[in-house]
Amino acid sequence: MNDKEQLRELHDTYVWEVNAAVGEGRLDLVWQLADDYLDQALKLMTAGESAGCGRPDCAVCEGARPARPVRRRGWRRRTRSGPTT
């Protein structure tokens, strides 16, 4: 089954479910089904695509880099010693 056929089947299924929800007066379910349909359709359309553009210097495709440890410079923390008697 190709992408177009899968999208058509997904569409037909969700149209039937949305129509049934409208008939029952369940608008909350209609909105949920619409959101679910969008998510499923996007998954089908992007399943075979690569996640990035493939350029090695692309900052967007590179993603988040792990944070480097912060080196503290300057004033050192002094510990207070208790009063001596």
Side-chain angles (χ1 to χ4, degrees):
M1 183 180 293
N2 67 22
D3 291 344
K4 273 188 165 181
E5 291 171 349
Q6 287 179 330
L7 282 171
R8 172 58 61 192
E9 185 176 321
L10 181 71
H11 174 266
D12 292 344
T13 301
Y14 273 90
V15 165
W16 189 89
E17 291 178 0
V18 166
N19 286 338
V22 168
E24 294 177 6
R26 295 281 318 273
L27 292 181
D28 60 319
L29 186 56
V30 170
W31 290 112
Q32 180 183 350
L33 288 167
D35 289 342
D36 291 345
Y37 170 75
L38 179 62
D39 292 341
Q40 293 301 319
L42 287 173
K43 283 181 187 176
L44 281 175
M45 290 189 294
T46 59
E49 296 182 11
S50 66
C53 67
R55 290 186 357 220
D57 61 338
C58 180
V60 173
C61 297
E62 192 174 288
R65 296 181 189 169
R68 292 187 294 181
V70 177
R71 293 181 63 191
R72 300 194 186 271
R73 295 184 179 150
W75 295 93
R76 292 186 180 195
R77 234 180 223 204
R78 294 184 184 183
T79 58
R80 290 187 178 181
S81 57
T84 56
T85 53

